[in-house]
Amino acid sequence: MLLSSNTSEVTVATTQVSEKQSRAVGEAARETEWRKPSFGKELFLGRFQLDLINPLPEQDPEQVAKGEAFLDKLDAYVRSDVDSELIEREGRLPDEVFHRLAELGAFGMKIDEKYGGLGLSNLYYCKALTLAGSANSSIGVLLSAHQSIGVPQPLKLFGTEEQKQAFLPRLAAGEVSAFLLTEPDVGSDPARLKTTATPVEGGYRLNGVKLWATNGTVATLLVVMAHVPKSEGHRGGITAFVVEGDAEGVTIERRNEFMGLRGLENSVTRFHDVFVPAENLIGKEGQGLKIALTTLNTGRLSLPASCVAAGKWCLTVAREWAAERVQWGRPVGEHEAVSKKIAFIAASTYGLEAMLQLCCLLADDDRNDIRIEAALVKLYASELTWLVADELIQIRGGRGYETAASLAARGERPIAAEQVLRDLRINRIFEGSTEIMHLLIAREAVDAHLSVAGDIIDPEADIKRKARAGAKAGAFYARWLPTLVAGRGQLPAGYGDFGPLAKHLRYVERASRKLARSTFYAMSRWQGKMERKQAFLGRIVDIGAELFAMSAACVRARAERDTCPEGAELADLFCRQARLRAEALFEGLWSNTDAIDSAAARRVAKGRYAFLEQGIVPPPSEGDWVEQWEPGPSKRPDVRRRVR
Ligand SMILES: Cc1cc2nc3c(=O)[nH]c(=O)nc-3n(C[C@H](O)[C@H](O)[C@H](O)COP(=O)(O)OP(=O)(O)OC[C@H]3O[C@@H](n4cnc5c(N)ncnc54)[C@H](O)[C@@H]3O)c2cc1C
């Protein structure tokens, strides 16, 4: 996956998958071309191109009118009729929720009007997810899994006209879709994929087991990733298919339960000799992962939308509660320790919303490549909102730890802070875990270096390739390195049209060059070993995220200076907090315990510190860590749920 441009080896459906093969599969799934400008890519190269994001692109007035009208209807429904406590208590969304969302057209928000959808812009789609997710997180996840990773988005990007006509109207009308990549042995590493699609007359036979498919128990149309074996006339590889949920041979073996998102309809799905017609193949054989990754370029924006919902909700509770609760002679919000948390929640929510809004507008405008920005906002939002919710729990004290039902039973306001924390936790794991997002973004951040100097550090490159790369790299670095020495961020009047926020943009410009210098220095120092420096790379990416977030906050404040002048105060606060985080990360680049931590982890693995585990009732030691499955018919009852 990382820091190697070698794509010569592709996946094989086997459990014996080497690290090299896993990387090759990840690399092959990358979009290698940059056809449009990318703010994020430039930022990591030390080129702060503010004009790519400022002024904010404008939405078409028709889109705004359509989006606002839909938001009004959705708001009226979720505000008055969604019973979040009932969903939490019963651990499922009532049928009624599906019906009403379908009536509103919520399952077709992202589907073009010509296929029966609403055709909302990314901005309004995300606003709607924020709104729906604030009523109950499971509703937000239902709608986003359906549209951002389920059938509509890959078809929009890669589907044929026939496929669009066949499936999109059904989905817009309320049929639910799901995306099935994960298997018991396949999480972050798709090279281990074992589900197969074997070519047969007129199509393929699908066999395999898929784990944790969100919407899987209710979905009637699935995107399934399966491995097509290479054979004559078939290039093979991981391939994406649209599969009918009610096709013969599909069994929903389980509905999974989690620490949060209690209303989630998440499945274990088995495919046994399921016939998939050839016309249901999305794109081409072997393009499955590329399709999944490209789908996520904008698909990743829906997760931050639910984070923004959580941030706004936490802010309201923090504000009201901290003013009302008096301890030690003052409202708790007036104690400095608590006031800092409130400021953090407010600033973070502003910054996150600014990042999301910017990414959506860029996606709608379609002039920029936003793959890095969307990945950054997914990573950043999932991490930051987790801290926001944790701080809210602390502000609420014991009540933060108490369930809404218990609070209500005692006669207090049913504030479900602990639920928000539980519901948010998965965001750091799914749609690319934080660790994988770090690697994925780092790969893009160093792409320019790899494309000129990759062969120099590639142990498999022969002397000729290395020599060619040496010449190419020499020319590139002779031009590029001098650009990192000075910039507009050093001019006292730089970015002056941003008023008091200009100093933050000057910092971003300077820090962007420093970031690029640090990356270059690390690459020269570690060369091919850099791909193993995950902690270093993680910090590089996190600095980039802070810088992008600061830029977004300033651009938003400027765009809204007439309509929302107080926003500039929050942008300033956010930038000050973000800058401190960025500085700590810079410091950590060269002053850290990375090497000794890795050595310690190896000693832990060897059992050297087993003494430390004594004195407790140990965790279960029976049972497989990872379920082993064999192809074949299901031996479990089908637990599918069909909404009447
Ligand atoms: C509630 C829920 C909903 C989900 N919905 C869907 C869905 O709709 N469709 C679907 O296909 N999947 C879904 N998933 C699966 C989800 O995408 C995976 O859980 C996720 O990809 C991580 O895989 P894993 O859990 O197997 O962790 P693993 O891959 O086993 O990783 C374990 C840990 O190791 C880290 N790690 C792994 N590889 C590396 C590496 N190379 N370098 C550094 N660290 C590494 C991970 O970040 C993680 O911390 C869902 C999961 C849950 C829990």
Side-chain angles (χ1 to χ4, degrees):
M1 154 107 35
L2 174 71
L3 306 193
S4 143
S5 42
N6 185 351
T7 57
S8 56
E9 291 190 44
V10 287
T11 184
V12 279
T14 165
T15 47
Q16 301 302 313
V17 179
S18 68
E19 187 178 352
K20 199 169 148 200
Q21 282 173 310
S22 297
R23 284 188 188 180
V25 168
E27 187 60 29
R30 275 190 66 237
E31 268 182 275
T32 48
E33 281 180 47
W34 295 88
R35 288 185 208 91
K36 297 179 199 161
S38 158
F39 174 82
K41 185 169 191 243
E42 297 297 325
L43 188 75
F44 282 108
L45 280 171
R47 299 190 286 235
F48 177 48
Q49 303 221 336
L50 186 60
D51 53 335
L52 288 178
I53 58 170
N54 181 68
L56 285 176
E58 282 184 17
Q59 289 264 290
D60 167 30
E62 265 181 43
Q63 275 291 352
V64 175
K66 189 164 62 170
E68 291 292 338
F70 176 70
L71 283 184
D72 283 347
K73 284 195 273 178
L74 184 66
D75 186 90
Y77 164 55
V78 295
R79 200 178 282 264
S80 57
D81 291 349
V82 169
D83 185 344
S84 188
E85 278 178 69
L86 177 86
I87 296 169
E88 191 68 2
R89 200 166 56 244
E90 301 204 337
R92 72 191 323 241
L93 299 172
D95 285 2
E96 175 71 7
V97 171
F98 290 89
H99 295 157
R100 294 289 299 279
L101 290 172
E103 277 163 26
L104 287 169
F107 290 100
M109 286 187 280
K110 267 203 120 176
I111 297 175
D112 282 352
E113 282 166 310
K114 68 172 169 171
Y115 304 113
L118 298 179
L120 295 187
S121 63
N122 282 293
L123 182 70
Y124 277 95
Y125 170 62
C126 283
K127 279 176 187 269
L129 290 181
T130 299
L131 179 61
S134 70
N136 184 275
S137 312
S138 297
I139 298 181
V141 177
L142 158 76
L143 293 173
S144 76
H146 166 73
Q147 282 165 99
S148 290
I149 55 175
V151 176
Q153 189 66 6
L155 279 199
K156 185 174 187 168
L157 297 173
F158 297 95
T160 62
E161 187 51 38
E162 291 73 27
Q163 287 174 334
K164 290 177 189 172
Q165 283 180 14
F167 301 121
L168 294 181
R170 287 170 56 186
L171 295 162
E175 283 193 49
V176 179
S177 74
F179 170 80
L180 292 79
L181 168 64
T182 304
E183 298 175 8
D185 204 29
V186 179
S188 312
D189 181 6
R192 306 177 75 87
L193 197 110
K194 276 210 299 182
T195 295
T196 52
T198 311
V200 293
E201 182 69 36
Y204 299 81
R205 287 267 170 217
L206 203 57
N207 282 285
V209 170
K210 293 288 181 184
L211 179 62
W212 294 326
T214 295
N215 296 348
T217 52
V218 286
T220 49
L221 280 171
L222 319 172
V223 176
V224 181
M225 294 289 164
H227 185 266
V228 177
K230 200 169 176 176
S231 63
E232 211 184 319
H234 292 274
R235 66 192 292 259
I238 298 176
T239 305
F241 297 93
V242 180
V243 179
E244 295 280 351
D246 290 332
E248 203 182 326
V250 179
T251 310
I252 308 301
E253 295 195 332
R254 260 197 68 74
R255 178 183 189 253
N256 305 306
E257 290 165 19
F258 301 99
M259 94 188 247
L261 297 178
R262 296 262 159 88
L264 205 67
E265 289 288 344
N266 185 287
S267 68
V268 173
T269 304
R270 176 177 285 267
F271 299 94
H272 173 58
D273 277 346
V274 177
F275 177 72
V276 184
E279 57 268 24
N280 285 18
L281 187 151
I282 310 177
K284 294 186 186 141
E285 282 182 12
Q287 279 190 333
L289 289 179
K290 199 167 248 181
I291 288 172
L293 274 188
T294 312
T295 298
L296 279 173
N297 280 348
T298 52
R300 283 220 170 86
L301 299 180
S302 59
L303 189 150
S306 62
C307 293
V308 167
K312 286 172 180 279
W313 190 92
C314 290
L315 181 60
T316 308
V317 175
R319 176 176 55 76
E320 292 181 0
W321 161 257
E324 180 75 21
R325 174 70 168 171
V326 175
Q327 295 284 281
W328 292 46
R330 291 155 175 254
V332 292
E334 290 180 16
H335 295 298
E336 190 185 60
V338 176
S339 66
K340 281 183 69 67
K341 297 181 197 306
I342 298 171
F344 170 68
I345 295 174
S348 302
T349 304
Y350 182 86
L352 285 181
E353 192 172 49
M355 274 172 114
L356 176 63
Q357 183 191 35
L358 170 60
C359 286
C360 287
L361 288 170
L362 291 176
D364 289 330
D365 186 50
D366 207 23
R367 259 181 303 175
N368 285 3
D369 187 316
I370 64 147
R371 80 185 86 151
I372 292 185
E373 292 82 339
L376 284 175
V377 67
K378 186 278 172 191
L379 166 73
Y380 191 75
S382 56
E383 289 293 326
L384 201 66
T385 326
W386 170 250
L387 299 178
V388 161
D390 187 51
E391 291 293 38
L392 178 72
I393 301 263
Q394 198 65 17
I395 296 174
R396 284 276 289 155
R399 286 168 179 81
Y401 194 66
E402 190 172 10
T403 65
S406 175
L407 285 161
R410 291 196 298 104
E412 292 195 4
R413 201 181 288 193
I415 298 294
E418 58 81 38
Q419 184 194 333
V420 169
L421 192 79
R422 287 188 286 102
D423 287 353
L424 279 172
R425 186 61 183 83
I426 187 60
N427 291 334
R428 298 169 60 202
I429 298 172
F430 66 10
E431 292 191 21
S433 68
T434 288
E435 293 72 24
I436 297 298
M437 295 308 289
H438 276 151
L439 301 186
L440 196 124
I441 299 165
R443 172 66 185 87
E444 302 307 338
V446 299
D447 188 47
H449 300 287
L450 284 186
S451 59
V452 294
D455 281 350
I456 301 176
I457 59 174
D458 184 350
E460 288 178 15
D462 60 24
I463 194 84
K464 259 193 190 161
R465 270 172 59 197
K466 279 189 195 293
R468 257 200 315 270
K472 208 167 143 194
F476 171 77
Y477 289 119
R479 262 182 289 118
W480 177 67
L481 283 169
T483 67
L484 302 184
V485 177
R488 204 171 151 198
Q490 283 158 306
L491 304 175
Y495 309 102
D497 47 338
F498 279 78
L501 297 177
K503 59 180 173 295
H504 299 306
L505 293 175
R506 290 198 292 272
Y507 171 76
V508 173
E509 196 280 332
R510 293 193 307 273
S512 151
R513 283 185 284 116
K514 184 174 169 184
L515 184 64
R517 287 195 303 268
S518 307
T519 310
F520 175 71
Y521 173 66
M523 285 197 75
S524 333
R525 178 172 165 181
W526 289 314
Q527 303 198 0
K529 292 193 188 112
M530 176 112 155
E531 64 189 4
R532 300 237 171 253
K533 301 285 177 192
Q534 293 192 344
F536 179 91
L537 292 167
R539 289 185 198 102
I540 290 283
V541 169
D542 287 342
I543 294 169
E546 296 290 0
L547 301 184
F548 174 48
M550 290 173 75
S551 314
C554 293
V555 168
R556 173 184 179 182
R558 186 174 186 272
E560 295 174 355
R561 66 185 157 192
D562 296 331
T563 51
C564 179
E566 58 277 30
E569 295 160 25
L570 285 173
D572 180 56
L573 181 65
F574 176 75
C575 287
R576 286 169 190 268
Q577 294 174 0
R579 179 172 174 164
L580 286 180
R581 290 192 291 264
E583 285 299 299
L585 287 161
F586 270 124
E587 172 75 21
L589 286 178
W590 309 111
S591 171
N592 55 59
T593 55
D594 297 350
I596 57 173
D597 290 343
S598 296
R602 284 194 292 275
R603 292 195 296 273
V604 169
K606 284 187 182 150
R608 182 170 170 80
Y609 307 126
F611 71 91
L612 203 54
E613 296 170 23
Q614 304 303 312
I616 57 158
V617 178
S621 56
E622 306 276 297
D624 292 336
W625 285 101
V626 176
E627 181 200 356
Q628 301 302 314
W629 60 270
E630 293 301 327
S634 181
K635 298 186 182 94
R636 297 192 180 154
D638 190 300
V639 295
R640 81 186 53 218
R641 173 179 173 196
R642 286 290 169 263
V643 179
R644 276 167 288 118

